Amino acid sequence: MDKSLEKQLAQWLRNQKGACGAYLKLSVLLGVLNGALLVVQAWLLATVLHGVIIEYLPRSAFVVHIGLFALLIALRALVAFGREKVSFEAGRRLRVQVREAVLSKLTRLGPAFINGKPAGAWASIVLEQIEDLQDFYARYLPQMSLAGFIPLIILCCAFPLNWAAGLILLITAPLIPLFMILVGMGAADANRRNFSALQQLSGHFMDRLKALPTLKLFHRAAAEQQAIAKASEAFRERTMAVLRLAFLSSAVLEFFGAVSIAVLAVYFGFSYLGELNFGHYGTPISLFTGMFILIMAPEFYQPLRDLGSHYHAKAQAIGAAEALMELLNAPEPLAVGHTAVPAGELTIRAHELKVLSMDGVTLAGPLSFTIAPQQKIALVGPSGAGKTSLLNVLLGFLPYEGSLLVNGIELNSLDIHQWRQHLGWLGQNPQLFHGSIADNLRLGQSELTDTELWHWLEQARVDDFVKAQADGLQHAIGEFGAGLSVGQAQRLSLARTLAKQAPLMLLDEPSASLDSQNEQWVLDALWNALQDRGCLMITHRLDQLDRVDSVWVMEQGTLVQQGSVASLSQTEGLFQRMLAELPLQVSLDEIADADIVTGGVQ
């Protein structure tokens, strides 16, 4: 990983620690308190040993010391427990805030952005990668402070007793963080590759799982099984690379910690044997001094060893932060506006409108058009002409250049959430969630009563299906509409859309995946509901355009024709060529006659 990028990610992680609140500081405070109690505990134990072994004092003289020592053991255990609880709470608060920020960002970016990655990849970011921030805030950041405070406290106690011992501690202390850094240099990059492999595996697996019936139908299950096995093996290898680094780091730190303590023990051993005579302040080294410093020596290196063992948490967090920072810093399709949508019927005017992708590439345009109140418009054209991009920009899911006015106010200055309340949307792939039918119908409209729900179910011609269920409106639906036919799912989605009673409906081929009977039911329900509303509908059914006021024909991102069915069918151009290619070879005169009979607007 590039060093400048790694520094950016580390800084981004530190900038988020405000979400932990006071719990992060409280965790450090409890850790310092634990270190201070350890010093007192070491002093009590060294005093008892020196008195019993050197001064031949009776054990009864140290009853208070032993009692305090036992009390300190319990107190340290309590402080350690409290620190674990506080540290976990700090990480939990951070994860909650980051997850809320990620979900809010995805909501603002919209489906045009989200469809750029498989659903499994987003699940990996929202779940695994955010979870992997826990140890960085709960353990690594507090331990960084403790790795400075606790050794400093011990040095302040050691130097007044023996400067040589203090010097040994001071000189050997940097060895542990130095080798920690050397061993962990590649850890962040290894974790980044591991997260990348996890995203690919999650996305690949979830997409194949959803398409399992289709794969079996076309005898592709075995081939996809091999592909998943290959992706799993790549993920296993990268996971093992991360674990190798983590275990190597722990082994190196334990080795240098043990060597440093051994040097200190050798110094005191030779001093007691009379081979070394330096380090003291004019008086011989007592057993108390040696025992006190040797008891504290492992605890002097312990915070540094703990920091090393938690170093992989930093590398893990940096690997996770790359995708999170990229997502949270992604440019949003529309600026955050606060202007209320003007009251009254909606009139939309576009002039030299260019629809852009999230990275600034022109998807459609320049376009100039007007959508009048209650006007019904059919949007037709070959695949890739830019029809869906036009709907996405009206929904606020894509950025644009030029002018797009809603009742005279630029769209990017409107309150986008309020604007979407004025729109009803229905696509060809309905999204239903795990829950009851009522829960799905009330999505975003919790105020709807059961009576109103039955009304819209009847409008969508799906009330008979719901009445046939034992639980009625409480009938459970599986994830992605499991347990429903395509037609039933589409009509339930239609009922949900109609219940919104939006003045403008945006429809993206709502009948494309239906059989002829369900298609007729959906279209009939739509036209009945659209009598007093506007509509912009992408459709491939050119033989069913007799009820629209106007037809817009798109090709290569531009509107090449606009007009009624009757006028366009008599005009040489793309629309006429598309009519000639209809599978049923519908007569142009029949379509024109149907338009005249139903009173189509010219």
Side-chain angles (χ1 to χ4, degrees), residues 210-227:
K210 288 165 62 177
L212 192 57
T214 306
L215 292 173
K216 286 185 176 180
L217 182 64
F218 289 95
H219 305 290
R220 294 292 302 169
E224 290 302 327
Q225 183 180 1
Q226 293 177 359

Side-chain angles (χ1 to χ4, degrees), residues 44-217:
L44 289 171
L45 184 57
T47 301
V48 172
L49 292 174
H50 180 82
V52 172
I53 297 172
I54 303 299
E55 298 180 354
Y56 300 104
L57 296 174
R59 297 178 194 174
S60 57
F62 300 103
V63 172
V64 175
H65 292 74
I66 295 171
L68 287 174
F69 185 83
L71 180 62
L72 286 174
I73 291 176
L75 189 56
R76 285 189 64 202
L78 187 61
V79 169
F81 174 77
R83 182 174 170 243
E84 285 294 320
K85 294 281 287 184
V86 167
S87 297
F88 178 82
E89 181 62 20
R92 187 194 69 81
R93 286 172 171 252
L94 182 283
R95 286 184 288 116
V96 168
Q97 179 164 309
V98 172
R99 185 169 285 116
E100 286 179 355
V102 166
L103 293 175
S104 298
K105 183 74 174 186
L106 289 174
T107 300
R108 295 194 300 272
L109 289 171
F113 179 87
I114 293 173
N115 289 338
K117 284 185 180 181
W122 293 119
S124 174
I125 291 176
V126 174
L127 298 176
E128 284 93 345
Q129 297 199 25
I130 292 178
E131 289 297 316
D132 283 326
L133 299 179
Q134 169 73 24
D135 283 350
F136 178 79
Y137 294 94
R139 300 186 182 279
Y140 181 77
L141 281 185
Q143 196 60 42
M144 279 191 69
S145 300
L146 295 178
F149 281 123
I150 293 179
L152 184 61
I153 292 172
I154 294 175
L155 283 175
C156 289
C157 295
F159 265 108
L161 296 175
N162 189 287
W163 61 264
L167 198 60
I168 291 172
L169 292 174
L170 186 61
I171 292 173
T172 56
L175 289 175
I176 292 178
L178 174 63
F179 282 94
M180 173 187 72
I181 292 170
L182 291 175
V183 172
M185 282 178 65
D189 199 35
N191 274 281
R192 184 179 60 84
R193 291 194 298 269
N194 188 48
F195 281 125
S196 176
L198 178 60
Q199 281 190 33
Q200 292 175 6
L201 177 61
S202 299
H204 190 92
F205 181 75
M206 182 172 285
D207 286 349
R208 271 46 180 188
L209 190 63
K210 288 165 62 177
L212 192 57
T214 306
L215 292 173
K216 286 185 176 180
L217 182 64

Side-chain angles (χ1 to χ4, degrees), residues 421 439-447 496 500:
Q421 296 303 313
D439 292 336
N440 276 273
L441 294 181
R442 288 194 176 104
L443 192 66
Q445 304 172 93
S446 57
E447 71 284 355
R496 181 173 61 193
K500 194 173 182 181

